[in-house]
Amino acid sequence: MSSPLHELGVAALSRALADKQVSSAEVTQHLLARVADHQQLGAFVHVDADAALAAAQAADARRAAGDASALTGVPIAHKDIFVTAGAPTTAGSKMLKGYQSPFDATVVARLSQAGMVSLGKLNCDEFAMGSANENSAWGPALNPWDRARVPGGSSGGSATAVAARLLPAATGTDTGGSIRQPASFTGITGIKPTYGRCSRYGMIAFASSLDQAGPMARSAEDCALLLSAMSGFDERDATSAERPAEDFHRQMLEQRAGATAAKPLQGLRIGLPKEFFPDALAADVNGAVRGALAELEKLGATLVEVSLPRTELSIPVYYIIAPAEASSNLQRYDGVRYGHRAEQYGDLIDMYKKTRAQGFGAEVKRRIMIGTYVLSHGYYDAYYLQAQKLRRMIADDFQRCFQDCDLIAGPVAPSVAWQLGAKSDDPVAAYLADIFTLPASLAGLPGMSIPAGFGEARMPVGLQLIGNYFAEGQLLHTAHAFQQATDHHLRAPAGF
Amino acid sequence: MALSPTDVSRIAHLARLELQPEEQAAMLQQLNGFFSIVEQMRAVDTSGVEPLYTPLSALSEVQLRLREDRVTEQDQRALNQRSAPAVEDGLFLVPQVIE
Amino acid sequence: MSTPQLIRGYEVVIGLETHAQLSTASKIFSGASTAFGAAPNTQASPVDLALPGTLPVPNRGAVERAIRFGLAVGAKVARQSIFARKNYFYPDLPKGYQISQYEIPVVQGGVIEFLVGEQKKRVNLTRAHLEEDAGKSLHEDYHGLTGIDLNRAGTPLLEIVSEPEMRSSAEAVGYARALHALVVWLGICDGNMQEGSFRCDANVSVRKPGAPFGTRREIKNLNSFRFLQQAIDYEVQWQIEQIEDGLSIEQATVLFDPDSGETRAMRSKEDAHDYRYFPDPDLPPLVIAPEWVERVKAEMPELPAAMAERFQAQDGLPAYDAGMVTQSLAFAAYYEAARDACRQPKLVANWLMGEFSKRLNAEGRGIEEAPVAPATLGALITRISDGTISNNGARQVFDALWSGEGSDVDALIEAKGLKQMSDTGALEAIVEQVLAANEKSVAEFRAGKDKAFNALVGQVMKASKGKANPALAGELLKKRLQG
């Protein structure tokens, strides 16, 4: 092998494995060693070397037997929000310390059926609530570009592991930006698919009408390969979209009508919501994003201004709906059937209260309180119902935009990754930073983050691409064309 | 419209969360901080707008998919109770429930 | 509306909420079995246990049963209804919320009709909605702890809510019995009240006639008609006492204690009033296409009311009899088979409502287990109507049939020598003897005393050891005396 194994992405590894240049066992060994060397990054919450090596050998045998998929033998690890029968699942919470699921999440099962080798579980904000990975009961994950900074969240461990070249790819989940924002903060590529595209079965619920699983990797091509294997109808999830499986890799490579080698995006109309470029947008982010947009223009795309007038409203709308659903989804953590139970308590109600007070962290408690309040008697219409109506208006705004453009572009976050602790005692400030990822989440639209360049202190900046429902193929095609012409996504943090 | 300490303890009780006095105070201040950014949302006129409870119904009518009535689950009690805090004779044990 | 009976000057107002367990093989949101009586938690799947990451997927069979009910009570079957979460903490409620229907139920409106004594009563239904059952708390002492069995969690329920239109415990029981008969008739519920397949909550209040509704108290989980009656009667007296003592009624959920015969307020669920209902984001709207409703309609059995009308029109049964023989599908089927065997509808109804039901009730068995087959009862009735045996004789034959002494009616009549004497010759001889031996009576008869004639008939019966066909005997006597 010319370049070190950890530098290979999913597609490159897939080719190397197919060409017998390397075995899955070798790659797995190599990455396990790296994971051990970089424990202080806090990317992993559980590593199972033996299981990983066994899976790698099985994958090599499968390749030898000639029934390998493109992903067979490629290492991965899963956000600790996905339940796994083999390894403990905690959702980053003391509430689920050591919890053993009797089954694998559908997404996990599909990737292992494809032959992927799981190294373990990745750190995340408690119950996926957070945008800095500082709400994990197991400590923060660090941003490999600057360890004094956060990797973003809630899929922070996934982002850190992929950016630090500990893994070619990881699974993440995105409720209000939890794939896109950490991808942006760590200079990797991530896609949140259309709501319903990936099964939620086995994904520990935060906000059921918003949660979506997606891949995080180093390129659009890698994401395309992973998404093809992860997605698809699942009868165990009543919100799963009944659509045939799709080959996103093929769609990614398909040529646009009228496209040329020099102008692969000829005829593509990219909408820029003016609300995504407010004065408050950090200059470095604005610069990097504008640069990326200019590059897209060079590739043949035309930029049109559009408007998402309720972009700012999406913050209160999201922070009403998500906590409301979460407050109900988290009522099952009562210390009766599994999970933490307080040592000392009086009666049943006291057991509930102490168990939940001890098991949940501060941010989770805050959101449970918000959600319980807005659903409580006399407040439902003013808050929850009003938010769901505004959600419809926000979704309609997008459809209006898509009459003038094929996809929408803008920043993922208003700034680059911030310093650890910078926002941890001001929850509302952290909520405000989600402004650009929340609208697509509320509408259920697919969204991507791809490396757009670098900003302040050489920190990565992500470009967000938002497509119409089930237009992941088009998103990946556009992102791939961009990455063929740029090298931001190939940059690794110093020392990795 | 600001929350009162009574609201906080009422909600904490509904949510079965024990809050220490200092937590109560911090929570009150944080919740009021949060609800201040919510006010703008309450002002919007949404009369005649259908709530969007599940995102795909923005695309087309979503119909609940139904299962056929078949028994597909086998007994796996031991596996299901692996992480149970207190079990006896296959029952989950809890403090005396008074009806 | 019947004029309300008052109790101590108060009008009683009762509404019922009935939980009927739907007779599906699997649970409403999981593929676990609903069979009764399995070892604790062996029928609680990961979904039923609310293990992290699990999601509900609804059971078509449960929805179809709700549609069948809606059609049977003439309700609107909603084209679109919504599953909502009812949030509260309780150890037998694994998710911390119950999936139910709140603002938009699947069945809207409808009517239940039944007889209270001879009087017809109509009770309107508010709604019927689908929801999941909870598990069970076992209070027998686990060293001061309670054991939780979640086998029942997720069993499909149809909660049927009536308008507060019942005015006595008798009407409440009449309604509950009619509803019970209907869901069993429709085959959507096994109706087993001991196993909790059919449970009633009674909302009870009292008021002075014409006054607005009083504050109601809800009596929970009444799983027998007797308890329903007792609980309401006690509750009504209790509420009247309170008011008479100048105390006010607090809205409350109460339990009925069959041993003491009293109701008492529940101590748990003290903040159960804030359920924080909202549409379940795991379950998009339940859409029922008109074609589906049509298909279910086509498969519906003839309903008890329609069948009762048919028996009145076609068999000439009185309304009361028609109601009795349509008390259950099995009972009606038995009636029709026996009627076809003898073509004597009224006699069949009489036997079923009399001797037959008396024995079934005495032995606590259902008509399915009756030891006498419909054709056999028909044959017996034929022998009564053709004069072969007397009603007394028939009762003896029926005894023998029931006890299994025999199964062939004619053979039993022979064996027991119950055949009536209808042979004119032999009877004439007896008549001659009787007339000769009773000149006094003959004289009195001729003097115009009709009583004397009956005495003579009696003598003929006596002389024939009860075997004479009374009608024939009378005829012959008249002929002789007038001759």
Side-chain angles (χ1 to χ4, degrees):
Chain A
M1 294 297 308
S2 49
S3 55
L5 291 175
H6 58 267
E7 287 181 11
L8 301 181
V10 174
L13 258 178
S14 176
R15 283 188 289 272
L17 288 162
D19 303 348
K20 304 278 187 289
Q21 294 169 357
V22 64
S23 73
S24 176
E26 290 171 78
V27 183
T28 304
Q29 287 278 16
H30 177 80
L31 294 182
L32 283 169
R34 263 182 90 76
V35 169
D37 294 346
H38 295 289
Q39 275 175 14
Q40 73 287 356
L41 285 174
F44 278 78
V45 293
H46 177 83
V47 180
D48 191 338
D50 297 348
L53 288 171
Q57 279 146 11
D60 287 329
R62 201 172 142 180
R63 281 222 176 256
D67 69 344
S69 83
L71 297 174
T72 302
V74 177
I76 191 167
H78 301 293
K79 183 179 184 179
D80 202 26
I81 208 83
F82 292 96
V83 299
T84 45
T89 304
T90 71
S93 181
K94 196 173 159 227
M95 182 62 88
L96 285 176
K97 189 171 191 297
Y99 172 72
Q100 291 285 352
S101 171
F103 65 96
D104 276 333
T106 299
V107 162
V108 169
R110 287 187 176 172
L111 291 176
S112 69
Q113 279 150 22
M116 293 198 88
V117 174
S118 174
L119 269 50
K121 305 300 283 292
L122 296 162
N123 202 354
C124 59
D125 282 302
E126 184 175 11
F127 289 100
M129 298 180 193
S131 49
N133 208 115
E134 292 176 297
N135 300 333
S136 167
W138 320 125
L142 309 180
N143 191 321
W145 294 89
D146 174 354
R147 297 175 190 209
R149 295 179 189 252
V150 302
S154 66
S155 310
S158 305
T160 296
V162 172
R165 292 1 191 206
L166 308 184
L167 290 169
T171 52
T173 62
D174 187 315
T175 303
S178 287
I179 286 174
R180 291 161 287 165
Q181 181 255 22
S184 167
F185 279 15
T186 57
I188 65 169
T189 302
I191 181 166
K192 175 201 99 74
T194 306
Y195 182 84
R197 179 70 93 172
C198 290
S199 170
R200 293 187 297 113
Y201 195 78
M203 222 172 87
I204 294 180
F206 160 17
S208 311
S209 75
L210 293 152
D211 297 342
Q212 256 301 289
M216 300 171 77
R218 300 202 204 123
S219 69
E221 180 177 24
D222 291 0
C223 286
L225 290 168
L226 288 158
L227 186 59
S228 304
M230 288 169 72
S231 62
F233 172 65
D234 178 9
E235 61 181 11
R236 286 182 172 277
D237 174 1
T239 62
S240 160
E242 280 180 276
R243 299 171 71 93
E246 292 188 40
D247 180 346
F248 295 107
H249 192 256
R250 190 181 44 70
Q251 295 179 33
M252 178 194 83
L253 295 172
E254 258 165 27
Q255 253 213 358
R256 295 180 56 81
T260 64
K263 295 200 175 302
L265 301 181
Q266 191 59 44
L268 182 74
R269 297 167 306 158
I270 298 177
L272 310 182
K274 56 174 184 297
E275 297 79 5
F276 276 33
F277 298 88
D279 304 342
L281 181 61
D284 59 334
V285 172
N286 188 38
V289 169
R290 297 284 182 187
L293 293 171
E295 186 61 41
L296 288 165
E297 256 181 314
K298 269 206 237 124
L299 296 173
T302 52
L303 307 179
V304 296
E305 188 184 272
V306 294
S307 174
L308 290 170
R310 295 168 186 85
T311 296
E312 223 176 297
L313 278 174
S314 65
I315 297 167
V317 168
Y318 173 88
Y319 279 98
I320 294 292
I321 293 170
E325 293 182 2
S327 68
S328 177
N329 285 334
L330 269 56
Q331 296 226 138
R332 70 188 56 195
Y333 304 103
D334 57 5
V336 174
R337 297 162 313 286
Y338 48 79
H340 177 73
R341 178 187 289 196
E343 295 282 330
Q344 309 286 332
Y345 48 81
D347 62 1
L348 178 67
I349 291 184
D350 192 47
M351 180 192 92
Y352 284 148
K353 290 186 171 181
K354 288 193 161 59
T355 295
R356 290 167 59 83
Q358 295 164 11
F360 292 135
E363 180 61 21
V364 171
K365 288 180 190 172
R366 262 193 298 275
R367 299 200 192 188
I368 289 175
M369 291 290 288
I370 292 170
T372 304
Y373 180 71
V374 298
L375 289 176
S376 68
H377 185 68
Y379 299 96
Y380 179 86
D381 289 10
Y383 291 113
Y384 189 73
L385 186 60
Q386 172 76 347
Q388 292 287 27
K389 288 177 170 180
L390 277 156
R391 182 186 194 173
R392 165 87 58 181
M393 294 167 99
I394 289 164
D396 293 347
D397 291 340
F398 273 105
Q399 290 314 304
R400 230 170 276 112
C401 290
F402 284 124
Q403 290 170 2
D404 306 328
C405 62
D406 304 306
L407 46 85
I408 288 167
V412 174
S415 74
V416 296
W418 55 80
Q419 302 284 330
L420 283 159
K423 291 184 169 36
S424 46
D425 34 14
D426 185 358
V428 173
Y431 299 170
L432 297 176
D434 295 341
I435 182 164
F436 302 133
T437 48
L438 298 180
S441 293
L442 288 165
L445 294 166
M448 272 191 95
S449 175
I450 59 176
F454 294 84
E456 175 231 335
R458 299 289 303 152
M459 292 303 292
V461 174
L463 171 74
Q464 181 173 210
L465 297 175
I466 299 169
N468 211 336
Y469 296 104
F470 301 106
E472 288 85 352
Q474 186 184 42
L475 279 181
L476 290 161
H477 177 273
T478 307
H480 180 63
F482 179 83
Q483 293 183 335
Q484 293 304 94
T486 56
D487 67 353
H488 310 299
H489 63 291
L490 300 177
R491 306 283 181 77
F496 295 94
Chain B
M1 172 232 49
L3 280 76
S4 71
T6 2
D7 292 324
V8 172
S9 33
R10 177 176 61 88
I11 299 305
H13 176 68
L14 258 184
R16 297 293 186 266
L17 284 173
E18 182 179 74
L19 296 181
Q20 300 309 323
E22 60 280 9
E23 287 180 283
Q24 289 252 7
M27 186 67 79
L28 177 62
Q29 176 249 326
Q30 287 163 341
L31 292 186
N32 281 325
F34 168 73
F35 279 99
S36 65
I37 67 164
V38 173
E39 289 313 307
Q40 47 164 339
M41 177 198 91
R42 299 186 61 187
V44 181
D45 177 10
T46 55
S47 45
V49 180
E50 270 300 298
L52 181 59
Y53 291 121
T54 189
L56 289 188
S57 57
L59 180 59
S60 59
E61 185 190 59
V62 182
Q63 301 197 0
L64 182 53
R65 189 179 56 256
L66 303 172
R67 256 183 43 241
E68 292 313 311
D69 179 22
R70 276 196 306 275
V71 175
T72 54
E73 298 290 324
Q74 303 317 318
D75 169 31
Q76 50 166 44
R77 184 173 75 182
L79 203 57
N80 291 342
Q81 294 186 332
R82 269 196 298 182
S83 301
V87 171
E88 193 171 314
D89 306 341
L91 296 162
F92 298 99
L93 296 188
V94 299
Q96 198 64 248
V97 174
I98 310 123
E99 288 194 312
Chain C
M1 274 312 298
S2 56
T3 52
Q5 326 85 301
L6 299 188
I7 295 180
R8 296 165 62 184
Y10 288 85
E11 182 187 23
V12 177
V13 176
I14 304 163
L16 290 190
E17 293 172 13
T18 307
H19 291 91
Q21 271 184 13
L22 298 176
S23 55
T24 53
S26 64
K27 295 187 176 176
I28 185 168
F29 297 119
S30 85
S33 167
T34 55
F36 180 83
N41 292 309
T42 54
Q43 283 173 186
S45 71
V47 172
D48 308 317
L49 291 168
L51 296 189
T54 53
L55 295 170
V57 181
N59 181 337
R60 177 181 305 281
V63 176
E64 178 141 335
R65 283 164 176 77
I67 297 171
R68 205 180 299 169
F69 178 80
L71 290 171
V73 296
K76 174 187 173 199
V77 175
R79 187 193 165 278
Q80 188 185 85
S81 61
I82 304 290
F83 282 107
R85 294 183 180 182
K86 180 182 184 179
N87 296 283
Y88 65 94
F89 287 88
Y90 210 65
D92 66 11
L93 188 72
K95 293 187 292 298
Y97 58 83
Q98 177 194 34
I99 303 177
S100 180
Q101 297 189 298
Y102 184 52
E103 278 175 329
I104 312 176
V106 60
V107 172
Q108 303 170 5
V111 180
I112 296 289
E113 284 188 330
F114 54 96
L115 290 172
V116 186
E118 297 285 319
Q119 225 184 16
K120 194 162 215 179
K121 170 83 182 170
R122 282 172 59 93
V123 170
N124 290 293
L125 300 181
T126 314
R127 61 189 281 163
H129 65 257
L130 285 162
E131 63 182 27
E132 58 183 337
D133 207 343
K136 281 183 184 162
S137 304
L138 288 82
H139 299 292
E140 66 263 21
D141 197 18
Y142 280 90
H143 21 266
L145 301 175
T146 294
I148 305 297
D149 175 8
L150 297 171
N151 281 348
R152 197 181 65 180
T155 301
L157 296 177
L158 189 66
E159 178 172 342
I160 303 151
V161 182
S162 84
E163 291 291 312
E165 295 179 346
M166 287 152 275
R167 293 293 176 266
S168 68
S169 59
E171 286 184 2
V173 169
Y175 164 85
R177 285 190 181 279
L179 189 58
H180 181 267
L182 179 62
V183 294
V184 173
W185 184 288
L186 293 171
I188 64 174
C189 173
D190 68 17
N192 187 324
M193 297 178 81
Q194 291 69 33
E195 294 177 4
S197 300
F198 188 90
R199 327 188 291 258
C200 296
D201 301 342
N203 286 295
V204 180
S205 65
V206 300
R207 65 174 171 185
K208 290 284 186 187
F213 284 132
T215 308
R216 60 187 168 78
R217 304 215 308 166
E218 181 181 22
I219 314 171
K220 279 246 167 255
N221 275 327
L222 297 162
N223 64 350
S224 92
F225 298 121
R226 201 174 83 256
F227 293 166
L228 177 62
Q229 175 121 34
Q230 293 173 349
I232 292 171
D233 289 341
Y234 176 89
E235 179 65 19
V236 166
Q237 292 300 335
W238 184 88
Q239 288 188 19
I240 293 173
E241 294 297 338
Q242 293 283 303
I243 296 166
E244 292 292 310
D245 296 352
L247 301 167
S248 66
I249 307 291
E250 300 297 324
Q251 184 157 352
T253 307
V254 304
L255 291 174
F256 175 67
D257 177 353
D259 305 327
S260 65
E262 299 180 352
T263 57
R264 61 164 177 84
M266 286 177 81
R267 273 177 286 174
S268 60
K269 300 193 176 172
E270 85 286 321
D271 64 347
H273 51 272
D274 199 341
Y275 288 126
R276 292 163 286 141
Y277 282 99
F278 73 107
D280 192 327
D282 289 328
L283 298 167
L286 171 61
V287 176
I288 297 173
E291 304 73 52
W292 190 7
V293 177
E294 284 313 309
R295 216 178 320 123
V296 175
K297 194 180 265 165
E299 294 159 1
M300 289 274 278
E302 185 183 18
L303 296 178
M307 204 181 259
E309 275 172 36
R310 177 161 63 85
F311 292 163
Q312 291 177 60
Q314 159 199 305
D315 298 350
L317 288 188
Y320 179 80
D321 297 35
M324 287 301 295
V325 298
T326 52
Q327 60 188 260
S328 78
L329 200 52
F331 211 93
Y334 192 105
Y335 162 79
E336 293 208 273
R339 176 206 59 201
D340 293 346
C342 66
R343 303 252 144 254
Q344 300 283 343
K346 179 57 177 152
L347 285 180
V348 173
N350 291 348
W351 273 87
L352 287 180
M353 298 185 309
E355 201 57 28
F356 212 88
S357 296
K358 211 182 303 145
R359 289 170 190 261
L360 287 176
N361 298 340
E363 299 167 22
R365 28 197 343 194
I367 193 157
E368 307 80 359
E369 309 154 285
V372 179
T376 312
L377 181 64
L380 179 59
I381 289 169
T382 305
R383 289 291 169 256
I384 300 168
S385 51
D386 70 10
T388 307
I389 49 173
S390 65
N391 285 323
N392 278 330
R395 214 160 281 111
Q396 294 175 54
V397 174
F398 186 74
D399 267 327
L401 291 168
W402 194 277
S403 65
E405 187 184 325
S407 60
D408 181 285
V409 171
D410 290 339
L412 281 165
I413 293 172
E414 278 308 326
K416 298 184 171 297
L418 294 168
K419 208 161 191 299
Q420 297 189 114
M421 191 183 293
S422 303
D423 160 356
T424 319
L427 255 182
E428 273 170 344
I430 295 177
V431 167
E432 290 307 325
Q433 294 166 22
V434 169
L435 291 176
N438 296 275
E439 283 162 356
K440 188 157 168 290
S441 302
V442 175
E444 287 175 356
F445 175 75
R446 296 229 158 94
K449 285 209 185 130
D450 291 354
K451 273 231 209 69
F453 182 77
N454 299 339
L456 289 168
V457 175
Q459 290 300 321
V460 173
M461 294 309 290
K462 191 160 169 237
S464 71
K465 305 188 186 59
K467 291 193 182 165
N469 178 335
L472 184 56
E475 237 171 81
L476 293 171
L477 269 170
K478 268 207 180 61
K479 207 155 75 207
R480 255 309 256 99
L481 290 165
Q482 284 152 0

